[in-house]
Amino acid sequence: MTAWRRLDPTARIGAGLLLGLVLMALLAPAIRPGDPLAIVAEPLLRPFADAAHPLGTDRLGRDVLAGLMHGARTTLLVAVASAAAALGAGSVVGVLAGFRGGLADAVLMRITEAFQTVPGFLLALAAVSVTGPSVPTLILAIALGGWTPAARVVRAEVLSLRERDFVAAARTMGMGPFAIAFREILPNAFGPVGSLAAITVAAAILIEAALSFLGFGDPNRVSWGSMIAEGRAVLRTAPFLSVVPGLALVATVLTVHLVGQGLTRGGPGHG
């Protein structure tokens, strides 16, 4: 049985939609080459009024379809990279807290709780405000507010794993504490973190869009959030400028959630 057939039907739908989004992002330079921020036609062309610009143009005459496709690249890059950084950092904190215990556990968990008291969006907003908007800054800023759930989940798993027989066997073989923690325990504790991946990616997509909407995105890259913000000024006369990227944003978040829910329910043994 193939891996595709083992997936939950919900995961299949989500995976198919997500694959389409990834292909759109990868093929953007080929389908819509050039700078998506360049002025290419008269402003405020309606969708389907010009075959060269099927989704119309914005207030400056920039192609909406080009912005949509290139914006997908920005969205996926920031979301996946920041989610990976958040899950990685949280896993390291969780395994250190759970395995070492004692003072290390107390200190790391208090730090985790301190970060949890501040909403992730506010942390990201503060970080970008201080360091300036750019893609690397967005990635680090979003990860800064998203690592705590992974830390708590991994810590709970490590607490249940550190007294298992395979850990005692590793100690008997002379392995050091850090080698045991990261080579033996972490791979076994990382499974439940996978269920957080979809939530983390979806949250990162929304935070990146919100930051770009407020003007804290990378000014050299097109973003769905900045496209929605651009359409605010002409929302009554040209609502498509905000509706098109808004629908893309909603569809992407729903797709990620479908994949996450499907994988959680499906598992390898389901057909």
Side-chain angles (χ1 to χ4, degrees):
M1 182 180 291
T2 64
W4 177 261
R5 290 181 178 178
R6 289 199 299 268
L7 288 177
D8 180 272
T10 303
R12 294 183 193 177
I13 296 172
L17 294 173
L18 190 59
L19 178 60
L21 177 67
V22 171
L23 288 176
M24 183 178 76
L26 292 176
L27 296 176
I31 298 175
R32 278 292 187 267
D35 185 2
L37 296 175
I39 297 173
V40 294
E42 65 179 275
L44 296 178
L45 281 176
R46 295 285 178 177
F48 312 115
D50 186 345
H53 310 287
L55 293 183
T57 58
D58 66 6
R59 292 190 303 158
L60 299 178
R62 297 175 296 196
D63 185 58
V64 174
L65 179 58
L68 194 69
M69 298 186 70
H70 286 268
R73 298 167 66 88
T74 304
T75 295
L76 291 178
L77 172 62
V78 173
V80 173
S82 60
L87 294 176
S91 297
V92 170
V93 172
V95 76
L96 289 175
F99 186 72
R100 298 297 295 177
L103 180 61
D105 183 23
V107 171
L108 289 173
M109 284 301 99
R110 298 299 81 75
I111 294 174
T112 302
E113 290 170 0
F115 272 86
Q116 282 187 307
T117 60
V118 183
F121 173 72
L122 292 182
L123 279 174
L125 181 61
V128 174
S129 300
V130 171
T131 58
S134 67
V135 167
T137 299
L138 286 171
I139 292 171
L140 293 176
I142 295 172
L144 184 66
W147 62 272
T148 53
R152 299 188 72 87
V153 168
V154 170
R155 174 182 177 272
E157 286 295 310
V158 171
L159 289 175
S160 68
L161 291 172
R162 66 181 183 179
E163 303 301 330
R164 299 281 181 88
D165 291 342
F166 72 91
V167 177
R171 288 195 181 100
T172 303
M173 294 170 58
M175 292 182 65
F178 284 99
I180 294 174
F182 289 99
R183 291 173 55 186
E184 300 294 328
I185 294 181
L186 182 58
N188 290 284
F190 199 73
V193 178
S195 62
L196 292 174
I199 298 173
T200 307
V201 170
I205 292 171
L206 293 174
I207 292 174
E208 186 277 330
L211 290 172
S212 297
F213 180 84
L214 295 175
F216 290 96
D218 190 333
N220 299 314
R221 282 178 174 263
V222 64
S223 166
W224 290 345
S226 62
M227 291 177 69
I228 296 172
E230 171 67 22
R232 283 184 304 172
V234 289
L235 193 58
R236 290 180 180 274
T237 57
F240 67 92
L241 293 180
S242 292
V243 170
V244 170
L247 289 176
L249 185 64
V250 170
T252 302
V253 173
L254 289 177
T255 295
V256 173
H257 275 299
L258 282 176
V259 174
Q261 290 176 5
L263 291 176
T264 299
R265 292 200 301 263
H270 292 250

